Amino acid sequence: MTTAHPARAKVQPGEKLRGERKVRTIPLVDQSPAPQRKPDWIRVRVPSSGRIQQVKDMLRQQKLHTVCEEAGCPNLPECFGNGTATFMIMGDICTRRCAFCDVGFGRPNALDADEPRHLAESVDGMGLKYVVITSVDRDDLADGGARHFAECISAVRQRTPKVQIEILTPDFRGCLEDAIDVLSATPPDVFNHNIETVPHLYKRVRPGARFDHSLKLLQDFGARNPSIPTKTGIMVGLGETNEQVIETLQAIRAHDIDMVTIGQYLAPSKHHAPVERFVHPDEFREFARIAEQLGFTSVASGPMVRSSYHADLQHQGVDVGTL
C-alpha cells in the first residue's frame, strides 16, 4: 500500500529537496524489500591521489556542478581521480521527481549567463579531450534549456576547438521540435538522452516522462543530423524482467539509435526506489550480445557502466563493460 502524505509547504525558489523530501509524492511501495548486500562484482575504484579534491576545488571556484556529485555516482572517485567529470549545467535543482535519482528537486534559479564561459575555462584548464555536458530538467524554461546547451557547446568549441563534446539532454517535453532546431544549428559530436528504464516502470520510476517521447527525441535528432551518433542508456535492477530489457533494446534500435549503455541501478538512499535485484555479469554479457546482434554501433553493458562513464572510449567503440 502507499501512504498519503500530509500537506506540505510550497517549495520556494532556489530551495532544493533531496532524499525523502524529494520522492515522498511518488507512489513507491512502502514495504520495500530489505536492503541487499552488494555482491563482489559491485566495486568502486578509489585512486590514491589528491586529484579528487583538486577537481572539486576547481569546480567550486568556477561555480560549476557535476552530475557525478549531485547524483551520487559510484564511479566518482575513479573519474575525478583521472581528472574527468560530467558537467551539469543550468544549476543543481531539477523540475522532475524521478525515484531513482538523487539530484535535488525544486524551483530552479535563473540561468547563469557566465556559465558557458566558466565551463569552457574548466574544460581548458583540465586539459580534456572529450567532455560530457548534461543538465537538470528545466521545465520552467520555454525551450527546456536548449539554447543554453548551444551556448555551452559554442563556448567550449571556441576556446578548445579540438575537444569532442557529448551532450546528455533532458527530454525537452513540450518543446521538442524547437530544441532539435536549436541543437541542430550548434550540434555536439554525440547526442545522448537516457531512456533510463523499461516502459512498464515509467509511472513508478520516471514520472513526468514518456517512453515514446524520449524515443522520438532521439530518432528525430538523428534523422536531422545523420552524421552525429545518437546514444541512450538504461538501468537494470529496478524490477524489470530480462524479457522487458530485451524488448526495450529492440524498441530503441527500431528508432535508429546508434549507441546504448546498460548498467546496474544502485539506490542513492533508503528513500529512493529500492534495488530489486543485482544483475549478474553474465546477464550483462548476454544483454551486450543481443544488443550487438540488433545492430548498435557501440554497446557498453556491465554492473558499473553509466551513461557517461568512459564516454570517450564508448565513442571510440572500446568495450568498457569490464573496465
Side-chain angles (χ1 to χ4, degrees):
M1 296 178 61
T2 58
T3 302
H5 294 282
R8 57 193 180 279
K10 187 176 181 179
V11 179
Q12 298 302 309
E15 180 183 5
K16 181 167 62 173
L17 306 186
R18 301 188 76 164
E20 184 178 19
R21 294 183 68 205
K22 172 184 175 178
V23 302
R24 62 185 174 184
T25 61
I26 301 174
L28 298 174
V29 177
D30 288 337
Q31 295 183 353
S32 301
Q36 303 179 54
R37 182 186 178 92
K38 290 185 177 68
D40 292 341
W41 60 80
I42 301 293
R43 59 193 184 278
V44 175
R45 301 170 183 176
V46 181
S48 57
S49 74
R51 183 59 168 158
I52 295 175
Q53 192 58 50
Q54 290 176 4
V55 173
K56 288 186 176 182
D57 290 343
M58 182 206 67
L59 293 168
R60 298 299 82 80
Q61 183 179 7
Q62 294 282 22
K63 300 179 181 179
L64 294 173
H65 303 281
T66 66
V67 73
C68 323
E69 294 175 283
E70 295 298 327
C73 179
N75 296 319
L76 182 151
E78 180 182 357
C79 293
F80 274 24
N82 291 329
T84 65
T86 297
F87 295 97
M88 188 171 76
I89 61 174
M90 297 193 280
D92 61 347
I93 299 177
C94 188
T95 56
R96 305 276 179 95
R97 296 180 188 255
C98 294
F100 62 85
C101 179
D102 202 30
V103 173
F105 164 81
R107 298 171 63 187
N109 295 311
L111 294 177
D112 178 2
D114 291 328
E115 185 171 52
R117 176 174 59 83
H118 289 158
L119 174 63
E121 290 172 354
S122 296
V123 170
D124 189 16
M126 293 174 70
L128 300 180
K129 297 180 180 178
Y130 193 100
V131 61
V132 181
I133 306 170
T134 188
S135 79
V136 291
D137 278 284
R138 290 297 302 257
D139 296 316
D140 59 311
L141 301 175
D143 69 346
R147 286 173 181 79
H148 198 74
F149 262 105
E151 290 169 3
C152 287
I153 293 171
S154 295
V156 171
R157 286 233 165 93
Q158 183 174 2
R159 190 175 181 100
T160 52
K162 294 183 179 180
V163 169
Q164 290 189 301
I165 301 172
E166 176 176 327
I167 59 172
L168 172 55
T169 76
D171 62 10
F172 299 116
R173 186 181 65 191
C175 56
L176 184 148
E177 295 303 329
D178 288 344
I180 290 177
D181 286 344
V182 170
L183 294 173
S184 295
T186 311
D189 294 288
V190 176
F191 182 85
N192 187 352
H193 167 68
N194 282 337
I195 297 296
E196 305 291 9
T197 187
V198 302
H200 176 72
L201 295 177
Y202 260 52
K203 185 176 181 180
R204 182 172 72 90
V205 174
R206 200 185 176 208
R210 298 292 180 271
F211 182 71
D212 290 343
H213 177 90
S214 287
L215 289 177
K216 179 174 173 57
L217 169 63
L218 287 155
Q219 185 177 47
D220 287 1
F221 182 88
R224 284 278 300 274
N225 304 275
S227 65
I228 298 173
T230 51
K231 176 180 173 181
T232 193
I234 62 173
M235 302 170 289
V236 293
L238 278 158
E240 75 293 321
T241 65
N242 284 359
E243 290 74 19
Q244 289 172 332
V245 173
I246 294 169
E247 289 171 358
T248 300
L249 291 173
Q250 291 170 337
I252 292 170
R253 188 66 196 113
H255 284 74
D256 303 315
I257 298 161
D258 301 302
M259 307 165 67
V260 67
T261 62
I262 310 166
Q264 171 70 51
Y265 168 66
L266 298 174
S269 79
K270 65 180 181 180
H271 304 295
H272 288 76
V275 176
E276 299 285 347
R277 63 170 178 149
F278 287 106
V279 179
H280 193 275
D282 288 345
E283 294 177 86
F284 279 106
R285 282 188 279 272
E286 179 63 10
F287 292 149
R289 185 189 67 79
I290 292 170
E292 289 166 357
Q293 284 188 337
L294 289 171
F296 288 99
T297 60
S298 175
V299 179
S301 177
M304 300 304 291
V305 166
R306 296 295 181 269
S307 183
S308 55
Y309 179 52
H310 288 302
D312 55 337
L313 299 182
Q314 293 174 28
H315 184 36
Q316 296 170 26
V318 176
D319 179 7
V320 302
T322 57
L323 288 178

